[in-house]
Amino acid sequence: MEPENIWKTWKGHAGFGCLAFDALPAWQKELFKPDMRPAALAKPYLPKEGILSPREKTGFLCSIMDLVYYDECRPYATFPDGRWIPHCPPDENRQAAGASGNSPSPVVSVEIIEMLMNKMIEAVRRDDWEEAIRHGGALGHFVQEPFTPGHCINADLLQQLFPDPDHSRHIRLHYAFDCGTTDFEPLAPILMGNSVPEAALRMQVEIDRGIRQAKTLAGSIIRLLYDQEHHPRAAREALLAGQSQAATWLTSCAWYTAICIAQGRFDKSELQTLQTIDLTRLVPYFWHHCDYTELLPGCLVKDSRKIPIHVFSKNTKGSPEEQLIVNGFGMGGHMGCKFFVNGDIYRRFHCQVGLPSRHAEGQSANTRTEFRVEIDRQLNKVYSEDLKYGGQVLTRVPLHPGREAQVIDVDITGARALMLVSECQPYRDRQGLLQWDIPHVAVCEPVLSKT
C-alpha cells in the first residue's frame, strides 16, 4: 500500500480521526499546524509511515488514550490525579462503568467532555496546534468509545447473556466489537453549542443515542463471532459501520465546535438551531416499565403494537378538535421517567399532555390520573414503586377522558434531572374491592428551550 493510503488501515480511533478531519470546513483545516518536523514525527508511539500531513497526525492522535504508557502521552490520557480517563461511559466516581459494575453517570461524562474541550480550546487560542490535536485526540477517543457495544455494556453481563454454544471454547466477547471500519462517507459536522457546557450537553445527547443503538447490535455481532468460520471480521465491521460513522461525526462536531468557540466564529443559522432541544431526542436515564418499556417517538401502544398518537386540542376557534401528534410519546398512566438536562442552559420545559382521543383503554368515569413535572438539582436516583421520587414539583395536571390536552410551560432553571410522572389512584367497586383504571398518557410536542 502506498504511504499516503496507509491511514486506511487505521480502522479504529485513528481512522475515525482522519475522516473527522476530512469533514471539517476548509477554513478550519487550514488552521491546523502541528509540529511536522522529522524529529517530531520520529516519536516511538507514532507510525513510521502514513503521517504525511497535519490530517494524518491529527487523526492518529485519536489513539492517544491507548498510548497511556508512553510518558509523553500519559498527561493527555489521565486526570490530574493520575487516574485513567475512562475508555467507556464513566460512573459517578470517574471510573469505567462497563468494568466497575456501577451505573454510568451522564453528569460525570459531561464534566469530562468539558475538561477535554476546554483544554483543546485553550491550545487553539494560543495557536499551539501540537497541544490542540493531543487534547483533541483525547476528546475524540472519549466520545468515540461508547458507540461500540464492548465499551458501553458491562463486560460480565455480555458474557452471561450470550454464552458460547461451543462449551469447549472460551472467548472474551469484548474483542468481538473492536472492529471499527472507515468504509463510509463522513458526515458534515454541526455546531454543538456556543459555550462549552452547552456543547457538552448536546454531545452527551448524541452519545446516549449512540449507546442505545450499540446495544441493539450486540447480539447480532456475538452470533457472528460464534459462527466465525462462516462470517469473517468484515461481516462484523459491516454491522458496526453505522456506529463508526456516528462516532466519527461526533468527533468532527467536537473539533468543529471547539474551534468555533476558540475563534468566536459562529454562523447565525447554526446558533438559531441551538435555541431548543426536542425532548424525544433524549434517551431517558430512567424509565419505569409498564406497557411502555422505552420512549417511542410518535407512538402509543395498543395490544403490543405501536399506533399513532391522537388527542383532543383546541382549534383556532377555541373548539375541541382531534389532532394527530407526530412529535411526542406515550406513557403508561402509572409510571415515571427521568431525563438528564442542564437547566442553566435550557431553562424551560414546554409540552402538552392529555389522554388519547382514540386509544381509550383505561378511560372511564373512575379514571383518576395526575400528571406531574418534577425537577432535581442533581441526578435523581430514587426508585419508588409508588412514584415518589422526592423532586421539586413544578406542576400537577389532572387528566380526564374526553378533555383537551393541557399546556405545560415551566421554569426548570438549575435542574439536572427532569422527571415526568403520571400517577393513578384506585377506586372501590360495589363490593368494596380496590380496582384500577389505568389509561395511556400522551406527551405532545415536548421541548427544552433557552427562553
Side-chain angles (χ1 to χ4, degrees), residues 5 44 70 81 115-116 122 135 142 159 165 170 206 283 299 314 320 358 389 393 404 410 417 442:
N5 291 324
Y70 289 95
D81 63 6
M115 176 189 75
L116 297 174
E122 291 164 6
H135 292 304
F142 181 76
Q159 300 289 158
H170 185 77
E206 300 304 326
V283 177
C299 296
K314 287 185 179 179
R358 297 188 182 183
Y389 301 129
V393 178
E404 300 155 1
V410 289

Side-chain angles (χ1 to χ4, degrees), residues 168-179:
S168 67
R169 187 169 56 186
H170 185 77
I171 299 175
R172 185 188 179 200
L173 293 178
H174 179 89
Y175 296 137
F177 308 106
D178 290 338
C179 51

Side-chain angles (χ1 to χ4, degrees), residues 332-410:
H334 196 74
M335 63 159 286
C337 54
K338 305 179 185 182
F339 300 83
F340 170 64
V341 297
N342 186 334
D344 296 322
I345 300 170
Y346 293 94
R347 299 183 177 185
R348 300 203 72 83
F349 171 64
H350 177 92
C351 73
Q352 297 180 60
V353 63
L355 301 185
S357 55
R358 297 188 182 183
H359 188 15
E361 180 184 354
Q363 297 184 28
S364 74
N366 296 307
T367 301
R368 298 171 58 197
T369 305
E370 177 186 83
F371 186 85
R372 297 195 302 274
V373 178
E374 303 181 14
I375 60 171
D376 199 327
R377 292 182 179 273
Q378 58 188 359
L379 199 69
N380 186 287
K381 296 181 181 179
V382 176
Y383 176 75
S384 168
E385 294 285 2
D386 280 337
L387 313 176
K388 309 302 184 199
Y389 301 129
Q392 177 186 349
V393 178
L394 300 182
T395 188
R396 301 174 184 269
V397 176
L399 304 180
H400 300 287
R403 302 282 182 86
E404 300 155 1
Q406 300 182 57
V407 173
I408 290 176
D409 188 359
V410 289

Side-chain angles (χ1 to χ4, degrees), residues 212 216 283-284 287-297 299 301 306 329-331 335 337:
R212 175 70 184 84
T216 69
V283 177
W287 187 272
H288 188 128
H289 281 216
C290 57
D291 287 347
Y292 298 82
T293 63
E294 62 179 324
L295 190 155
L296 303 173
C299 296
V301 173
K306 298 176 185 178
F329 61 94
M331 294 176 60
M335 63 159 286
C337 54

